[in-house]
Amino acid sequence: MKKTLYFVYNTKSDIWNKYLDNLHKIISPTTYSCDLCSLTHGNFSEKKEWKSFRENSNYKFVFMYKDEFLRMYSCLEDKNFGFPIIFQKQGEKIDVLFDSKEISPLNSVEELIEFLKKKMS
């Protein structure tokens, strides 16, 4: 059974929040609240290194906004997770792979990829 990685961004899915997030990322990237998005995406698209890693991985990747994830997994709402966060799901079991405290110090998409490779091996 193929494992699934859920990448949950620290933002909401509505159009207004998406617009404000993109604007914030461009105007003041150092204060942007989603370290995961900053690692995997540039201002307008997915980073090439990340896309290549994702497409060549043996894992299934699912990307969600915080509100979408909490609606889908409402049983986890009381866990007080910090976002962004990465979960690993196999069958019905879902576990934290990396929390926001582990994601925050990463400085590049290459560091994220290496971090994931170590954790997934």
Side-chain angles (χ1 to χ4, degrees), residues 19-62:
Y19 173 76
L20 288 176
D21 282 344
N22 279 337
L23 193 60
H24 190 171
K25 218 176 359 175
I26 293 167
I27 294 173
S28 184
T30 58
T31 62
Y32 184 60
S33 66
C34 187
D35 296 318
L36 184 58
C37 185
S38 297
L39 291 169
T40 60
H41 288 75
N43 290 335
F44 302 106
S45 64
E46 188 175 20
K47 292 182 179 176
K48 289 178 187 176
E49 303 92 334
W50 177 249
K51 185 176 181 179
S52 175
F53 170 73
R54 182 180 54 75
E55 289 177 345
N56 294 298
S57 173
N58 291 327
Y59 285 77
K60 178 180 176 190
F61 288 67
V62 176

Side-chain angles (χ1 to χ4, degrees), residues 69-70 73-83 85 87 94 96:
F69 180 82
L70 292 173
Y73 291 97
S74 58
C75 61
L76 298 175
E77 266 187 305
D78 63 338
K79 301 287 187 198
N80 291 327
F81 295 117
F83 291 90
I85 193 166
F87 291 93
I94 188 164
V96 173

Side-chain angles (χ1 to χ4, degrees), residues 3 59 88 97-98 114-121:
K3 290 181 184 178
Y59 285 77
Q88 179 175 281
L97 189 64
F98 299 114
E114 286 307 310
F115 206 49
L116 284 168
K117 284 179 180 178
K118 286 178 188 172
K119 193 76 164 186
M120 296 184 315
S121 57

